[in-house]
Amino acid sequence: MALASRTVALAAVLSLVVFLAGPAAATGKTGQVTVFWGRNKAEGSLREACDTGTYTIVVISFLSVFGHGRYGLDLSGHPVAGVGADIKHCQSKNILVFLSIGGFGNQYSLPSPKSATDFADYLWNAFFLGNATGVRRPFGDAYVDGLDFFIEQGSPDNYDVFARRLWNYNKDYRGRTPVQLMVTPRCRYPDHRVERVLATGLVTRVNVRFYGDGYCAAYWQLEWDKWTAAYPNSQIFVGLPASEQTVGYVHPKNLFYGVIPVVQNASNYGGIMIWERYDDKRTNYSSYAIQWA
């Protein structure tokens, strides 16, 4: 009887060990949908985007000139004057507003550690909670909730230095994180242009772009598994185009039956990222995404 009791007890312990060491639980729905805004004046205002009720994060794109003492926004003809009020409106609806740096131009780089720290200091004072004298704030007293890295060209050097410097401003605040970091890489793992930023461990969200690349359209699940395994402490978002004309477009029916069951099985699934507001306004893709994300 004693032997039988010890056997039962041992079996119970082994079962517990197996349970604790087993695969991480699936995330399931998060309800998170991110959209990029600022790529086409015909997309409407930032306020209009937030009033759709289909986005939880809006990314203003892009701050496309930096690194050589010059800084410039490219919002595709949108008047900058009204963006600050729109940011506040979005935040009043509990929608996070990020600013994206980089983009498809060639007027940005961080050629030295000093250029990286200078850029971080500039952003803190121009778009976040800083108020240094002499720094112009394009959006007035409105502030963004985080920064996105959309690095398409140039050297990967010093973006890690920049990220640490900007993140360091959070240390002066308790109970809140004024600077959240997000990265939007190409889907083929790894994306060397943002690899150093991700290696800092400071990035909380990763929007993987599963579009614009025939390989990724065919082997998206293989690349998804690589990204989720590589950054278990970050929320990984599935980046999809809203336009049917873009390589990698996923019909809503295929999104529901083919993509969602796979990605929501990952313990660090974050949600869906949609590229971009202009196309989404035309196709209303986010109306499906918000239901299933």
Side-chain angles (χ1 to χ4, degrees):
M1 180 66 71
L3 177 59
S5 298
R6 286 196 296 271
T7 301
V8 171
L10 178 59
V13 170
L14 289 175
S15 297
L16 179 60
V17 170
V18 170
F19 172 76
L20 292 175
T27 297
K29 291 179 66 173
T30 64
Q32 297 296 303
V33 175
T34 297
V35 70
F36 275 74
W37 175 90
R39 296 295 81 223
N40 192 311
K41 189 176 181 180
E43 69 196 334
S45 68
L46 183 64
R47 176 185 292 258
E48 179 185 325
C50 291
D51 283 345
T52 63
T54 57
Y55 312 124
T56 55
I57 302 173
V58 177
V59 185
I60 298 173
S61 56
F62 294 105
L63 192 152
S64 59
V65 179
F66 61 82
H68 299 273
R70 298 181 300 114
Y71 308 106
L73 279 168
D74 173 15
L75 301 183
S76 305
H78 285 288
V80 176
V83 174
D86 287 0
I87 290 174
K88 293 180 180 180
H89 176 75
C90 294
Q91 292 167 337
S92 73
K93 292 175 166 285
N94 295 317
I95 297 171
L96 295 176
V97 180
F98 278 62
L99 173 67
S100 186
I101 63 169
F104 303 105
N106 59 2
Q107 298 186 66
Y108 62 87
S109 67
L110 295 176
S112 67
K114 186 179 186 307
S115 68
T117 56
D118 286 349
F119 184 35
D121 293 344
Y122 164 77
L123 284 177
W124 173 252
N125 288 293
F127 295 98
F128 289 93
L129 299 183
N131 57 1
T133 302
V135 178
R136 177 177 171 271
R137 295 185 60 88
F139 304 148
D141 62 354
Y143 57 85
V144 295
D145 299 292
L147 190 81
D148 172 64
F149 293 76
F150 197 109
I151 309 303
E152 276 289 288
Q153 62 84 37
S155 167
D157 292 349
N158 300 308
Y159 284 101
D160 53 339
V161 177
F162 162 75
R164 290 191 181 96
R165 176 75 168 204
L166 188 57
W167 181 268
N168 196 54
Y169 281 107
N170 289 325
K171 294 181 179 179
D172 295 330
Y173 295 83
R174 292 185 177 181
R176 63 182 300 188
T177 306
V179 179
Q180 301 180 52
L181 299 183
M182 171 192 290
V183 168
T184 303
R186 296 182 180 186
C187 88
R188 299 197 195 197
Y189 176 84
D191 184 336
H192 296 294
R193 289 195 172 95
V194 293
E195 200 169 12
R196 296 184 187 181
V197 177
L198 288 163
T200 64
L202 303 176
V203 176
T204 54
R205 297 176 180 88
V206 180
N207 305 309
V208 184
R209 289 181 273 159
F210 291 100
Y211 57 87
D213 184 324
Y215 168 85
C216 291
Y219 299 102
W220 67 269
Q221 188 171 343
L222 177 65
E223 296 301 318
W224 169 260
D225 289 343
K226 292 178 183 178
W227 283 103
T228 54
Y231 303 105
N233 295 321
S234 298
Q235 293 182 325
I236 313 299
F237 284 64
V238 185
L240 299 173
S243 171
E244 313 95 320
Q245 306 304 315
T246 303
V247 174
Y249 174 79
V250 178
H251 188 278
K253 183 177 180 180
N254 294 333
L255 175 64
F256 180 76
Y257 288 106
V259 175
I260 292 296
V262 173
V263 297
Q264 290 185 354
N265 199 43
S267 62
N268 55 339
Y269 161 76
I272 297 172
M273 181 276 277
I274 294 176
W275 180 265
E276 35 75 45
R277 169 61 184 158
Y278 172 73
D279 285 330
D280 188 47
K281 185 177 181 179
R282 179 176 57 82
T283 65
N284 207 23
Y285 196 79
S286 62
S287 66
Y288 301 100
I290 195 66
Q291 296 179 61
W292 307 326

